[in-house]
Amino acid sequence: MASLTPTEAGTLSTPGPDLGAIEDAGDGAAGEWDSLDYPDPIDHGHGLEMVVNDLDDGEDFAYRRLFHGWREHVADAENEPYVLVEDVHEWFDWLHDEYPAHLVLSSKPWKVGTEADGQRITGSRRYEYSIQVMRYDPESDTLAANHEKSLRAPVSCQTWVQPQNEDLVYKSNDPLICQYGEGTKFRTQTTYAGSAETIARTVQVVNAAMDALDQDRPDWSRMNRESWRVWKGEVHHRIDESLMDVVANKLRSARTLVEYGGDGDASGGGQYAGGQHVEERVVSDMWHRIGFAGYADRDDYNLGLKVYRVGGNPADERLRHPKLEAFFGGTDDGTTLPHADEWAALRATLRQLVSTFAIRSGVALGDLREDDYYQPMERDQIDVIVPKGWRQAMAEANEERERRILKTTYESLSQARWDVLWTVATTKGCEYDTLVELTGYSRDYVREIVRDLEEKDVLHRTTYPRVVVYHNEELRLNAIEALQQVHPDRALDDIRADADERREERRTQREDDNEDSDGADSATDESGDETGSDDSPTWVSVADLDYSAADVGRYLERGEIEPDAAKVNVDRHDWLILR
């Protein structure tokens, strides 16, 4: 197997300034940077997937052999987790002897089968198999999955095995897409590893599992190199517990600048998740807006930061000190995951994120705390580029957006734009259905307004789910103040009341149009004109069309809709008639 070990990009040789000087210098000017030598963070969680293209082996491909091995040795899910290799910590040098573990096998129904009816799998369902290094209690020989207390180890490894066959279908009856060819997929999650180590560990644990099941090992020579994709990556520093609140506040400050709505994924007071006390967590694809480069400047790449500590009272007092961690949170909108060969570049971006926030939070070298794996004073010193002017850059952009908000609402002949802007601001972002319901405007008109405001860089539409939001929390709050200058006495309740009236007017108009149409039909019948009913046009309100009013206007202007093919109720709009 080809080596994946990357060479780190060259580092700058310019001496870095004192940490205190950076922290005391204020935010600085937008577009400026400082540099500082800081310890390289340590790799933590890493996830990688790969595909072996062996389906053309027929019944003998690796996934099928694993299934046969499970049926012969495990036979029933009640026997899971099934111990494949005892004391596996003695087999692999990347496991620690102080944390005894077995290699176990388990399974669960997967999302595809041979047939489906659109609502459920009706044919033979396929299973996903898990090969996992699992701790056990030496005194009772009880596996962690069955033990009353949490048994954790610093190094973990778990590989999920899935079939890749485009003859298989989801419950919707759509076929399974095999982007990197058919065969067997291996999806691994481990700790204290990069891409090269993760691939090596995958091969080791899968080979050990197949040997234990009396099955042939996968043909690793048929591994599709293009399928080596990173789906998880983490790097961290361990900091003194006295600085946890300081770092959390710094993350909250950044969250208002880089997250849509600024709500984050963890409350300011912290929450427990997976046995961890997460004090603050921020995930965004807008880190480039406050000066970060590399993968932070790529569309649809979600990068995150969090500060957390182990829950409870760990036996090792060093683990009470929290971790500041930067992580890769996946991609959006069908964007391909980064290749394993790209891990070095992606890691460099994560390193800049985590070290910058440590520096900006005042975490000096003496405030870093060691454990069995993280030894800050022994790690390479990396020149960290620390962006400055976060708030100044965002404030300047927000001020320009606020000017556009005032301009578009003051110049508008109706309150529609104000209503949409106020609704998005007070609901902290909403979907089109909500905007239509709260404002009472037609869907096409709402979409037209949002599209115009997005072109003005005032609003933003997220890809999935399709939510209309302000670019950041500070802009949302400032927008509320700006909009109150335009209509100080108007609120969401007034918008809802007007929406009800607007819907009632449209209902009445449709009834009137139907009555006019019925009257015309009756007159035609009485006159005995039998051909008139067949040739009479069908009239539909613009609000009920699939196209917006602006689209209809453009089609009229270009002659694609004839002038006599459109009507306007001049009783309500008599100013349209020349006098």
PDB file of all heavy atoms in Angstrom, residues 96 98-99 135 150 152-154 192 238-239 241 309-323 369-375:
ATOM      1  N   HIS A  96      -3.019   0.902  24.461  1.00  0.00           N
ATOM      2  CA  HIS A  96      -2.306   1.046  25.725  1.00  0.00           C
ATOM      3  C   HIS A  96      -2.583  -0.147  26.625  1.00  0.00           C
ATOM      4  O   HIS A  96      -3.741  -0.544  26.813  1.00  0.00           O
ATOM      5  CB  HIS A  96      -2.742   2.343  26.423  1.00  0.00           C
ATOM      6  CG  HIS A  96      -1.743   2.885  27.375  1.00  0.00           C
ATOM      7  ND1 HIS A  96      -1.390   2.235  28.532  1.00  0.00           N
ATOM      8  CD2 HIS A  96      -0.990   4.033  27.348  1.00  0.00           C
ATOM      9  CE1 HIS A  96      -0.492   2.947  29.194  1.00  0.00           C
ATOM     10  NE2 HIS A  96      -0.224   4.041  28.488  1.00  0.00           N
ATOM     11  N   GLU A  98      -2.585  -0.324  29.724  1.00  0.00           N
ATOM     12  CA  GLU A  98      -3.347  -0.001  30.930  1.00  0.00           C
ATOM     13  C   GLU A  98      -4.852   0.037  30.686  1.00  0.00           C
ATOM     14  O   GLU A  98      -5.624   0.197  31.630  1.00  0.00           O
ATOM     15  CB  GLU A  98      -2.886   1.356  31.477  1.00  0.00           C
ATOM     16  CG  GLU A  98      -1.452   1.345  31.997  1.00  0.00           C
ATOM     17  CD  GLU A  98      -1.073   2.669  32.618  1.00  0.00           C
ATOM     18  OE1 GLU A  98      -1.976   3.524  32.766  1.00  0.00           O
ATOM     19  OE2 GLU A  98       0.106   2.841  32.961  1.00  0.00           O
ATOM     20  N   TYR A  99      -5.241  -0.123  29.434  1.00  0.00           N
ATOM     21  CA  TYR A  99      -6.664  -0.108  29.091  1.00  0.00           C
ATOM     22  C   TYR A  99      -7.009  -1.405  28.357  1.00  0.00           C
ATOM     23  O   TYR A  99      -7.089  -1.433  27.122  1.00  0.00           O
ATOM     24  CB  TYR A  99      -6.998   1.103  28.218  1.00  0.00           C
ATOM     25  CG  TYR A  99      -6.660   2.422  28.874  1.00  0.00           C
ATOM     26  CD1 TYR A  99      -5.431   3.041  28.628  1.00  0.00           C
ATOM     27  CD2 TYR A  99      -7.551   3.028  29.749  1.00  0.00           C
ATOM     28  CE1 TYR A  99      -5.112   4.245  29.238  1.00  0.00           C
ATOM     29  CE2 TYR A  99      -7.238   4.233  30.366  1.00  0.00           C
ATOM     30  CZ  TYR A  99      -6.019   4.842  30.113  1.00  0.00           C
ATOM     31  OH  TYR A  99      -5.702   6.027  30.719  1.00  0.00           O
ATOM     32  N   ARG A 135     -13.290  -1.723  25.466  1.00  0.00           N
ATOM     33  CA  ARG A 135     -12.761  -1.940  26.806  1.00  0.00           C
ATOM     34  C   ARG A 135     -13.559  -3.018  27.531  1.00  0.00           C
ATOM     35  O   ARG A 135     -14.726  -3.250  27.263  1.00  0.00           O
ATOM     36  CB  ARG A 135     -12.857  -0.648  27.616  1.00  0.00           C
ATOM     37  CG  ARG A 135     -11.835   0.430  27.321  1.00  0.00           C
ATOM     38  CD  ARG A 135     -10.461   0.110  27.909  1.00  0.00           C
ATOM     39  NE  ARG A 135     -10.548  -0.293  29.298  1.00  0.00           N
ATOM     40  CZ  ARG A 135     -10.657   0.519  30.344  1.00  0.00           C
ATOM     41  NH1 ARG A 135     -10.722   1.836  30.142  1.00  0.00           N
ATOM     42  NH2 ARG A 135     -10.702   0.052  31.574  1.00  0.00           N
ATOM     43  N   SER A 150     -19.043   3.615  32.960  1.00  0.00           N
ATOM     44  CA  SER A 150     -18.418   3.942  31.679  1.00  0.00           C
ATOM     45  C   SER A 150     -16.955   3.526  31.694  1.00  0.00           C
ATOM     46  O   SER A 150     -16.189   3.929  32.577  1.00  0.00           O
ATOM     47  CB  SER A 150     -18.538   5.447  31.403  1.00  0.00           C
ATOM     48  OG  SER A 150     -17.843   5.798  30.241  1.00  0.00           O
ATOM     49  N   ARG A 152     -13.766   3.913  29.512  1.00  0.00           N
ATOM     50  CA  ARG A 152     -13.238   4.646  28.379  1.00  0.00           C
ATOM     51  C   ARG A 152     -11.745   4.403  28.244  1.00  0.00           C
ATOM     52  O   ARG A 152     -11.058   4.058  29.192  1.00  0.00           O
ATOM     53  CB  ARG A 152     -13.505   6.151  28.538  1.00  0.00           C
ATOM     54  CG  ARG A 152     -14.978   6.489  28.529  1.00  0.00           C
ATOM     55  CD  ARG A 152     -15.190   7.996  28.617  1.00  0.00           C
ATOM     56  NE  ARG A 152     -16.607   8.329  28.488  1.00  0.00           N
ATOM     57  CZ  ARG A 152     -17.219   8.506  27.336  1.00  0.00           C
ATOM     58  NH1 ARG A 152     -16.536   8.383  26.206  1.00  0.00           N
ATOM     59  NH2 ARG A 152     -18.503   8.805  27.283  1.00  0.00           N
ATOM     60  N   ALA A 153     -11.264   4.602  27.032  1.00  0.00           N
ATOM     61  CA  ALA A 153      -9.840   4.510  26.755  1.00  0.00           C
ATOM     62  C   ALA A 153      -9.460   5.693  25.879  1.00  0.00           C
ATOM     63  O   ALA A 153     -10.261   6.158  25.063  1.00  0.00           O
ATOM     64  CB  ALA A 153      -9.512   3.199  26.055  1.00  0.00           C
ATOM     65  N   PRO A 154      -8.242   6.208  26.031  1.00  0.00           N
ATOM     66  CA  PRO A 154      -7.855   7.358  25.207  1.00  0.00           C
ATOM     67  C   PRO A 154      -7.793   7.033  23.719  1.00  0.00           C
ATOM     68  O   PRO A 154      -8.063   7.889  22.884  1.00  0.00           O
ATOM     69  CB  PRO A 154      -6.478   7.738  25.753  1.00  0.00           C
ATOM     70  CG  PRO A 154      -5.986   6.519  26.455  1.00  0.00           C
ATOM     71  CD  PRO A 154      -7.194   5.839  26.991  1.00  0.00           C
ATOM     72  N   TYR A 192      -6.151   9.794  17.973  1.00  0.00           N
ATOM     73  CA  TYR A 192      -4.702  10.005  17.935  1.00  0.00           C
ATOM     74  C   TYR A 192      -4.100   9.395  16.678  1.00  0.00           C
ATOM     75  O   TYR A 192      -3.201   8.558  16.717  1.00  0.00           O
ATOM     76  CB  TYR A 192      -4.042   9.455  19.203  1.00  0.00           C
ATOM     77  CG  TYR A 192      -4.503  10.175  20.446  1.00  0.00           C
ATOM     78  CD1 TYR A 192      -5.418   9.590  21.323  1.00  0.00           C
ATOM     79  CD2 TYR A 192      -4.069  11.467  20.717  1.00  0.00           C
ATOM     80  CE1 TYR A 192      -5.868  10.278  22.450  1.00  0.00           C
ATOM     81  CE2 TYR A 192      -4.518  12.163  21.837  1.00  0.00           C
ATOM     82  CZ  TYR A 192      -5.412  11.564  22.689  1.00  0.00           C
ATOM     83  OH  TYR A 192      -5.866  12.251  23.798  1.00  0.00           O
ATOM     84  N   ARG A 238      -4.731  21.087  25.229  1.00  0.00           N
ATOM     85  CA  ARG A 238      -5.344  20.980  26.558  1.00  0.00           C
ATOM     86  C   ARG A 238      -4.901  22.200  27.357  1.00  0.00           C
ATOM     87  O   ARG A 238      -3.711  22.491  27.446  1.00  0.00           O
ATOM     88  CB  ARG A 238      -4.925  19.685  27.262  1.00  0.00           C
ATOM     89  CG  ARG A 238      -5.732  19.441  28.550  1.00  0.00           C
ATOM     90  CD  ARG A 238      -5.336  18.136  29.231  1.00  0.00           C
ATOM     91  NE  ARG A 238      -5.714  16.969  28.462  1.00  0.00           N
ATOM     92  CZ  ARG A 238      -6.927  16.413  28.450  1.00  0.00           C
ATOM     93  NH1 ARG A 238      -7.898  16.982  29.162  1.00  0.00           N
ATOM     94  NH2 ARG A 238      -7.166  15.339  27.742  1.00  0.00           N
ATOM     95  N   ILE A 239      -5.883  22.920  27.917  1.00  0.00           N
ATOM     96  CA  ILE A 239      -5.603  24.192  28.589  1.00  0.00           C
ATOM     97  C   ILE A 239      -5.960  24.110  30.067  1.00  0.00           C
ATOM     98  O   ILE A 239      -6.724  23.231  30.490  1.00  0.00           O
ATOM     99  CB  ILE A 239      -6.392  25.340  27.931  1.00  0.00           C
ATOM    100  CG1 ILE A 239      -7.899  25.111  28.098  1.00  0.00           C
ATOM    101  CG2 ILE A 239      -6.024  25.462  26.454  1.00  0.00           C
ATOM    102  CD1 ILE A 239      -8.760  26.256  27.577  1.00  0.00           C
ATOM    103  N   GLU A 241      -7.790  24.611  33.467  1.00  0.00           N
ATOM    104  CA  GLU A 241      -9.232  24.700  33.687  1.00  0.00           C
ATOM    105  C   GLU A 241      -9.686  26.103  34.074  1.00  0.00           C
ATOM    106  O   GLU A 241     -10.835  26.485  33.836  1.00  0.00           O
ATOM    107  CB  GLU A 241      -9.667  23.703  34.768  1.00  0.00           C
ATOM    108  CG  GLU A 241      -9.001  23.879  36.114  1.00  0.00           C
ATOM    109  CD  GLU A 241      -9.423  22.805  37.112  1.00  0.00           C
ATOM    110  OE1 GLU A 241     -10.486  22.194  36.893  1.00  0.00           O
ATOM    111  OE2 GLU A 241      -8.691  22.563  38.087  1.00  0.00           O
ATOM    112  N   ARG A 309     -14.616  19.387  28.516  1.00  0.00           N
ATOM    113  CA  ARG A 309     -13.833  18.542  29.417  1.00  0.00           C
ATOM    114  C   ARG A 309     -14.605  17.257  29.674  1.00  0.00           C
ATOM    115  O   ARG A 309     -15.818  17.180  29.434  1.00  0.00           O
ATOM    116  CB  ARG A 309     -13.536  19.260  30.733  1.00  0.00           C
ATOM    117  CG  ARG A 309     -14.760  19.593  31.566  1.00  0.00           C
ATOM    118  CD  ARG A 309     -14.378  20.172  32.925  1.00  0.00           C
ATOM    119  NE  ARG A 309     -15.560  20.454  33.743  1.00  0.00           N
ATOM    120  CZ  ARG A 309     -16.155  21.621  33.807  1.00  0.00           C
ATOM    121  NH1 ARG A 309     -15.693  22.630  33.088  1.00  0.00           N
ATOM    122  NH2 ARG A 309     -17.219  21.805  34.568  1.00  0.00           N
ATOM    123  N   VAL A 310     -13.908  16.261  30.172  1.00  0.00           N
ATOM    124  CA  VAL A 310     -14.528  14.982  30.494  1.00  0.00           C
ATOM    125  C   VAL A 310     -15.507  15.173  31.639  1.00  0.00           C
ATOM    126  O   VAL A 310     -15.228  15.890  32.614  1.00  0.00           O
ATOM    127  CB  VAL A 310     -13.460  13.933  30.872  1.00  0.00           C
ATOM    128  CG1 VAL A 310     -14.123  12.630  31.317  1.00  0.00           C
ATOM    129  CG2 VAL A 310     -12.542  13.674  29.691  1.00  0.00           C
ATOM    130  N   GLY A 311     -16.697  14.557  31.525  1.00  0.00           N
ATOM    131  CA  GLY A 311     -17.689  14.656  32.585  1.00  0.00           C
ATOM    132  C   GLY A 311     -17.280  13.863  33.816  1.00  0.00           C
ATOM    133  O   GLY A 311     -16.491  12.916  33.755  1.00  0.00           O
ATOM    134  N   GLY A 312     -17.819  14.245  34.970  1.00  0.00           N
ATOM    135  CA  GLY A 312     -17.560  13.513  36.197  1.00  0.00           C
ATOM    136  C   GLY A 312     -16.211  13.857  36.797  1.00  0.00           C
ATOM    137  O   GLY A 312     -15.639  14.931  36.569  1.00  0.00           O
ATOM    138  N   ASN A 313     -15.669  12.915  37.569  1.00  0.00           N
ATOM    139  CA  ASN A 313     -14.383  13.096  38.238  1.00  0.00           C
ATOM    140  C   ASN A 313     -13.408  12.018  37.764  1.00  0.00           C
ATOM    141  O   ASN A 313     -13.351  10.923  38.314  1.00  0.00           O
ATOM    142  CB  ASN A 313     -14.544  13.004  39.759  1.00  0.00           C
ATOM    143  CG  ASN A 313     -15.393  14.130  40.309  1.00  0.00           C
ATOM    144  OD1 ASN A 313     -15.125  15.298  40.047  1.00  0.00           O
ATOM    145  ND2 ASN A 313     -16.430  13.765  41.070  1.00  0.00           N
ATOM    146  N   PRO A 314     -12.647  12.311  36.710  1.00  0.00           N
ATOM    147  CA  PRO A 314     -11.716  11.310  36.190  1.00  0.00           C
ATOM    148  C   PRO A 314     -10.632  10.977  37.206  1.00  0.00           C
ATOM    149  O   PRO A 314     -10.209  11.843  37.995  1.00  0.00           O
ATOM    150  CB  PRO A 314     -11.129  11.986  34.947  1.00  0.00           C
ATOM    151  CG  PRO A 314     -11.295  13.449  35.190  1.00  0.00           C
ATOM    152  CD  PRO A 314     -12.563  13.578  35.970  1.00  0.00           C
ATOM    153  N   ALA A 315     -10.185   9.718  37.182  1.00  0.00           N
ATOM    154  CA  ALA A 315      -9.139   9.290  38.111  1.00  0.00           C
ATOM    155  C   ALA A 315      -7.844  10.061  37.867  1.00  0.00           C
ATOM    156  O   ALA A 315      -7.112  10.388  38.806  1.00  0.00           O
ATOM    157  CB  ALA A 315      -8.902   7.788  37.961  1.00  0.00           C
ATOM    158  N   ASP A 316      -7.565  10.334  36.614  1.00  0.00           N
ATOM    159  CA  ASP A 316      -6.381  11.121  36.261  1.00  0.00           C
ATOM    160  C   ASP A 316      -6.742  12.596  36.346  1.00  0.00           C
ATOM    161  O   ASP A 316      -7.509  13.118  35.541  1.00  0.00           O
ATOM    162  CB  ASP A 316      -5.921  10.759  34.840  1.00  0.00           C
ATOM    163  CG  ASP A 316      -4.594  11.411  34.478  1.00  0.00           C
ATOM    164  OD1 ASP A 316      -4.178  12.365  35.174  1.00  0.00           O
ATOM    165  OD2 ASP A 316      -3.973  10.968  33.494  1.00  0.00           O
ATOM    166  N   GLU A 317      -6.219  13.296  37.344  1.00  0.00           N
ATOM    167  CA  GLU A 317      -6.577  14.693  37.567  1.00  0.00           C
ATOM    168  C   GLU A 317      -6.215  15.579  36.379  1.00  0.00           C
ATOM    169  O   GLU A 317      -6.817  16.639  36.184  1.00  0.00           O
ATOM    170  CB  GLU A 317      -5.903  15.214  38.835  1.00  0.00           C
ATOM    171  CG  GLU A 317      -6.462  14.600  40.116  1.00  0.00           C
ATOM    172  CD  GLU A 317      -5.941  15.306  41.355  1.00  0.00           C
ATOM    173  OE1 GLU A 317      -5.164  16.276  41.177  1.00  0.00           O
ATOM    174  OE2 GLU A 317      -6.316  14.901  42.461  1.00  0.00           O
ATOM    175  N   ARG A 318      -5.250  15.148  35.580  1.00  0.00           N
ATOM    176  CA  ARG A 318      -4.870  15.958  34.423  1.00  0.00           C
ATOM    177  C   ARG A 318      -6.026  16.094  33.430  1.00  0.00           C
ATOM    178  O   ARG A 318      -6.112  17.070  32.686  1.00  0.00           O
ATOM    179  CB  ARG A 318      -3.655  15.336  33.726  1.00  0.00           C
ATOM    180  CG  ARG A 318      -2.387  15.310  34.582  1.00  0.00           C
ATOM    181  CD  ARG A 318      -1.270  14.579  33.864  1.00  0.00           C
ATOM    182  NE  ARG A 318      -1.627  13.206  33.560  1.00  0.00           N
ATOM    183  CZ  ARG A 318      -0.845  12.356  32.889  1.00  0.00           C
ATOM    184  NH1 ARG A 318       0.332  12.769  32.435  1.00  0.00           N
ATOM    185  NH2 ARG A 318      -1.231  11.116  32.667  1.00  0.00           N
ATOM    186  N   LEU A 319      -6.928  15.108  33.412  1.00  0.00           N
ATOM    187  CA  LEU A 319      -8.038  15.122  32.462  1.00  0.00           C
ATOM    188  C   LEU A 319      -9.149  16.078  32.869  1.00  0.00           C
ATOM    189  O   LEU A 319     -10.106  16.266  32.125  1.00  0.00           O
ATOM    190  CB  LEU A 319      -8.595  13.714  32.279  1.00  0.00           C
ATOM    191  CG  LEU A 319      -7.581  12.654  31.793  1.00  0.00           C
ATOM    192  CD1 LEU A 319      -8.279  11.329  31.549  1.00  0.00           C
ATOM    193  CD2 LEU A 319      -6.865  13.119  30.534  1.00  0.00           C
ATOM    194  N   ARG A 320      -9.031  16.646  34.069  1.00  0.00           N
ATOM    195  CA  ARG A 320     -10.008  17.662  34.471  1.00  0.00           C
ATOM    196  C   ARG A 320      -9.813  18.950  33.684  1.00  0.00           C
ATOM    197  O   ARG A 320     -10.724  19.770  33.596  1.00  0.00           O
ATOM    198  CB  ARG A 320      -9.882  17.936  35.977  1.00  0.00           C
ATOM    199  CG  ARG A 320     -10.254  16.729  36.845  1.00  0.00           C
ATOM    200  CD  ARG A 320     -10.144  17.081  38.319  1.00  0.00           C
ATOM    201  NE  ARG A 320     -10.488  15.940  39.164  1.00  0.00           N
ATOM    202  CZ  ARG A 320     -10.453  15.934  40.491  1.00  0.00           C
ATOM    203  NH1 ARG A 320     -10.100  17.054  41.122  1.00  0.00           N
ATOM    204  NH2 ARG A 320     -10.766  14.866  41.188  1.00  0.00           N
ATOM    205  N   HIS A 321      -8.614  19.138  33.164  1.00  0.00           N
ATOM    206  CA  HIS A 321      -8.357  20.327  32.362  1.00  0.00           C
ATOM    207  C   HIS A 321      -9.007  20.150  31.001  1.00  0.00           C
ATOM    208  O   HIS A 321      -8.908  19.092  30.372  1.00  0.00           O
ATOM    209  CB  HIS A 321      -6.855  20.548  32.208  1.00  0.00           C
ATOM    210  CG  HIS A 321      -6.155  20.829  33.503  1.00  0.00           C
ATOM    211  ND1 HIS A 321      -6.342  22.002  34.209  1.00  0.00           N
ATOM    212  CD2 HIS A 321      -5.291  20.078  34.235  1.00  0.00           C
ATOM    213  CE1 HIS A 321      -5.605  21.969  35.302  1.00  0.00           C
ATOM    214  NE2 HIS A 321      -4.955  20.817  35.352  1.00  0.00           N
ATOM    215  N   PRO A 322      -9.687  21.181  30.513  1.00  0.00           N
ATOM    216  CA  PRO A 322     -10.460  21.048  29.270  1.00  0.00           C
ATOM    217  C   PRO A 322      -9.580  21.039  28.026  1.00  0.00           C
ATOM    218  O   PRO A 322      -8.408  21.443  28.051  1.00  0.00           O
ATOM    219  CB  PRO A 322     -11.356  22.290  29.286  1.00  0.00           C
ATOM    220  CG  PRO A 322     -10.573  23.290  30.077  1.00  0.00           C
ATOM    221  CD  PRO A 322      -9.838  22.507  31.133  1.00  0.00           C
ATOM    222  N   LYS A 323     -10.194  20.602  26.935  1.00  0.00           N
ATOM    223  CA  LYS A 323      -9.563  20.648  25.620  1.00  0.00           C
ATOM    224  C   LYS A 323     -10.185  21.779  24.805  1.00  0.00           C
ATOM    225  O   LYS A 323     -11.402  21.989  24.837  1.00  0.00           O
ATOM    226  CB  LYS A 323      -9.782  19.334  24.863  1.00  0.00           C
ATOM    227  CG  LYS A 323      -9.046  18.135  25.420  1.00  0.00           C
ATOM    228  CD  LYS A 323      -9.374  16.893  24.588  1.00  0.00           C
ATOM    229  CE  LYS A 323      -8.672  15.658  25.125  1.00  0.00           C
ATOM    230  NZ  LYS A 323      -9.028  14.453  24.331  1.00  0.00           N
ATOM    231  N   ARG A 369      -1.650  22.247  29.342  1.00  0.00           N
ATOM    232  CA  ARG A 369      -1.535  21.149  30.293  1.00  0.00           C
ATOM    233  C   ARG A 369      -1.315  19.827  29.559  1.00  0.00           C
ATOM    234  O   ARG A 369      -1.972  19.540  28.561  1.00  0.00           O
ATOM    235  CB  ARG A 369      -2.805  21.064  31.156  1.00  0.00           C
ATOM    236  CG  ARG A 369      -3.011  22.286  32.040  1.00  0.00           C
ATOM    237  CD  ARG A 369      -1.944  22.334  33.134  1.00  0.00           C
ATOM    238  NE  ARG A 369      -2.048  23.548  33.947  1.00  0.00           N
ATOM    239  CZ  ARG A 369      -1.267  24.613  33.808  1.00  0.00           C
ATOM    240  NH1 ARG A 369      -0.313  24.613  32.851  1.00  0.00           N
ATOM    241  NH2 ARG A 369      -1.390  25.665  34.600  1.00  0.00           N
ATOM    242  N   GLU A 370      -0.417  19.027  30.080  1.00  0.00           N
ATOM    243  CA  GLU A 370      -0.052  17.765  29.434  1.00  0.00           C
ATOM    244  C   GLU A 370      -0.916  16.612  29.924  1.00  0.00           C
ATOM    245  O   GLU A 370      -1.566  16.685  30.971  1.00  0.00           O
ATOM    246  CB  GLU A 370       1.424  17.449  29.698  1.00  0.00           C
ATOM    247  CG  GLU A 370       1.749  17.157  31.153  1.00  0.00           C
ATOM    248  CD  GLU A 370       3.199  16.764  31.362  1.00  0.00           C
ATOM    249  OE1 GLU A 370       4.051  17.197  30.572  1.00  0.00           O
ATOM    250  OE2 GLU A 370       3.474  16.020  32.334  1.00  0.00           O
ATOM    251  N   ASP A 371      -0.939  15.542  29.125  1.00  0.00           N
ATOM    252  CA  ASP A 371      -1.512  14.266  29.540  1.00  0.00           C
ATOM    253  C   ASP A 371      -0.634  13.175  28.942  1.00  0.00           C
ATOM    254  O   ASP A 371       0.483  13.442  28.487  1.00  0.00           O
ATOM    255  CB  ASP A 371      -2.981  14.137  29.119  1.00  0.00           C
ATOM    256  CG  ASP A 371      -3.194  14.332  27.630  1.00  0.00           C
ATOM    257  OD1 ASP A 371      -2.374  13.831  26.831  1.00  0.00           O
ATOM    258  OD2 ASP A 371      -4.188  14.972  27.240  1.00  0.00           O
ATOM    259  N   ASP A 372      -1.125  11.940  28.921  1.00  0.00           N
ATOM    260  CA  ASP A 372      -0.292  10.844  28.419  1.00  0.00           C
ATOM    261  C   ASP A 372       0.091  11.017  26.955  1.00  0.00           C
ATOM    262  O   ASP A 372       1.118  10.490  26.507  1.00  0.00           O
ATOM    263  CB  ASP A 372      -1.026   9.505  28.590  1.00  0.00           C
ATOM    264  CG  ASP A 372      -1.052   9.050  30.044  1.00  0.00           C
ATOM    265  OD1 ASP A 372      -0.207   9.543  30.819  1.00  0.00           O
ATOM    266  OD2 ASP A 372      -1.919   8.227  30.398  1.00  0.00           O
ATOM    267  N   TYR A 373      -0.715  11.739  26.196  1.00  0.00           N
ATOM    268  CA  TYR A 373      -0.483  11.853  24.757  1.00  0.00           C
ATOM    269  C   TYR A 373      -0.054  13.260  24.350  1.00  0.00           C
ATOM    270  O   TYR A 373       0.753  13.425  23.438  1.00  0.00           O
ATOM    271  CB  TYR A 373      -1.752  11.453  23.985  1.00  0.00           C
ATOM    272  CG  TYR A 373      -2.074   9.987  24.127  1.00  0.00           C
ATOM    273  CD1 TYR A 373      -2.796   9.516  25.220  1.00  0.00           C
ATOM    274  CD2 TYR A 373      -1.629   9.064  23.195  1.00  0.00           C
ATOM    275  CE1 TYR A 373      -3.072   8.167  25.365  1.00  0.00           C
ATOM    276  CE2 TYR A 373      -1.902   7.718  23.327  1.00  0.00           C
ATOM    277  CZ  TYR A 373      -2.624   7.266  24.412  1.00  0.00           C
ATOM    278  OH  TYR A 373      -2.888   5.934  24.561  1.00  0.00           O
ATOM    279  N   TYR A 374      -0.611  14.264  24.992  1.00  0.00           N
ATOM    280  CA  TYR A 374      -0.330  15.647  24.634  1.00  0.00           C
ATOM    281  C   TYR A 374       0.767  16.185  25.549  1.00  0.00           C
ATOM    282  O   TYR A 374       0.550  16.374  26.751  1.00  0.00           O
ATOM    283  CB  TYR A 374      -1.604  16.481  24.758  1.00  0.00           C
ATOM    284  CG  TYR A 374      -1.428  17.954  24.469  1.00  0.00           C
ATOM    285  CD1 TYR A 374      -1.092  18.389  23.191  1.00  0.00           C
ATOM    286  CD2 TYR A 374      -1.612  18.905  25.475  1.00  0.00           C
ATOM    287  CE1 TYR A 374      -0.950  19.748  22.915  1.00  0.00           C
ATOM    288  CE2 TYR A 374      -1.475  20.261  25.211  1.00  0.00           C
ATOM    289  CZ  TYR A 374      -1.134  20.675  23.926  1.00  0.00           C
ATOM    290  OH  TYR A 374      -0.986  22.012  23.657  1.00  0.00           O
ATOM    291  N   GLN A 375       1.940  16.418  24.981  1.00  0.00           N
ATOM    292  CA  GLN A 375       3.078  16.960  25.712  1.00  0.00           C
ATOM    293  C   GLN A 375       3.467  18.284  25.038  1.00  0.00           C
ATOM    294  O   GLN A 375       4.302  18.317  24.126  1.00  0.00           O
ATOM    295  CB  GLN A 375       4.258  15.974  25.673  1.00  0.00           C
ATOM    296  CG  GLN A 375       3.940  14.576  26.169  1.00  0.00           C
ATOM    297  CD  GLN A 375       3.776  14.528  27.674  1.00  0.00           C
ATOM    298  OE1 GLN A 375       4.366  15.336  28.391  1.00  0.00           O
ATOM    299  NE2 GLN A 375       2.977  13.591  28.165  1.00  0.00           N
TER     300      GLN A 375
END
